[in-house]
Structure formats: structure tokens, C-alpha cells
């Protein structure tokens, strides 16, 4: 794969992750707005059906985002290989490591979409040093560096479950 094709693929992946983050943030913002409005104006200001649909919809979306982002990628990226950190790249979201590695006789360069400050990235990833990474054997451009599910994925999953369960409980068991 040429460098321009790799850049296009990485840009597409970054846009997809940015969209997921924006949707998750919007879900939380709408839920907080609902709670604040209900607190200020009273719960009567929100129609029960609207609150039910909004909460269940947002909760379902949060569950889907957490499962797709963390759990499914973990299931796809299953092969451990050695890779060299070749750069700490900057994007609008922050800094992330870039790795160079070989798979089935072909050389690849891939970005890990894990953003942090430059200082944190330089502390964790040293350019020129080898690291173990996980790759998707069916799509070797998809890589991850962590071997576990992040706390943010678990938090989003639990929040999503709560946002689905609470209105169902209110709707069916409160009356």
C-alpha cells in the first residue's frame, strides 16, 4: 500500500473515531440538559414519552459506541507482533504514536488513535524503541497498543445501561 493510500485510510479511520466521540459527547450533553431542565422546571416540564425515548435512545447509542469502539476492536486485533515506534504525530485531538511493522512479508506503518499530551506520549512511547502491538490479521492496518479494555469503554457501557434501565424502570414499575 502506498503512502498516500495509507494516509487516506488513516484519515478515514480518524474521522470515524472523531464522529463516534462527537456522538457520545452529544449524547451525554443531551442527557445532562434533560436532567438540568427537569431539576429547574420540574419533571412535569418533560413529556414522559419524550423523556423515555430520548433516554433509551441515548443509552442504546452509548452502549453501541462503547461496544464497537473497545470490545469489537479488541476481538478483531488478535495477533501480537513487534513494532517500532517511528514518530509521535500531532493532530487536532492531540498526540498519538505511529508504528512501523511487518506482517506476512509486507511493511506497514500505522497510527494508533490514542490521544494524549505530547509529554505523556513521549514518556510512554520512545521513538526508535520496539513495542508489542496487536494487529487485525485480516486488515493489518488496524492496530492497537493496549491489551485491555479501557475504563472509558466500561464507563460508557455502564452509563448506557443505566440510561436504558432507569426510564424502563420508571415507566413500568413506578406506577
Amino acid at each position: 500500500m502506498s503512502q498516500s493510500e495509507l494516509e487516506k485510510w488513516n484519515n478515514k479511520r480518524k474521522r470515524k473515531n472523531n464522529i463516534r466521540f462527537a456522538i457520545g459527547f452529544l449524547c451525554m450533553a443531551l442527557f445532562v440538559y434533560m436532567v438540568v431542565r427537569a431539576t429547574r422546571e420540574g419533571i412535569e416540564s418533560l413529556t414522559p414519552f419524550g423523556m423515555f425515548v430520548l433516554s433509551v435512545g441515548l443509552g442504546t447509542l452509548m452502549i453501541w459506541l462503547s461496544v464497537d469502539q473497545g470490545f469489537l476492536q479488541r476481538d478483531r486485533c488478535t495477533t501480537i507482533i513487534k513494532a517500532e515506534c517511528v514518530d509521535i504525530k500531532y493532530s487536532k485531538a492531540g498526540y498519538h504514536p505511529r508504528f512501523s511493522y511487518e506482517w506476512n512479508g509486507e511493511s506497514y506503518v500505522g497510527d494508533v488513535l490514542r490521544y494524549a499530551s505530547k509529554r505523556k506520549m513521549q514518556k510512554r512511547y520512545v521513538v526508535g524503541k520496539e513495542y508489542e502491538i496487536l494487529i487485525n490479521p485480516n486488515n493489518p492496518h488496524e492496530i492497537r497498543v493496549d491489551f485491555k479494555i479501557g475504563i472509558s469503554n466500561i464507563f460508557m457501557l455502564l452509563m448506557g445501561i443505566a440510561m436504558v434501565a432507569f426510564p424502563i424502570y420508571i415507566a413500568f414499575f413506578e406506577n
Side-chain angles (χ1 to χ4, degrees), residues 83-96:
E84 179 184 354
C85 181
V86 293
D87 196 7
I88 303 293
K89 299 277 295 178
Y90 175 75
S91 69
K92 291 178 184 176
Y95 291 87
H96 61 274

Side-chain angles (χ1 to χ4, degrees), residues 98-111:
R98 174 173 273 188
F99 290 95
S100 172
Y101 53 96
E102 286 192 20
W103 176 251
N104 288 339
E106 289 189 48
S107 295
Y108 295 93
V109 176
D111 292 341

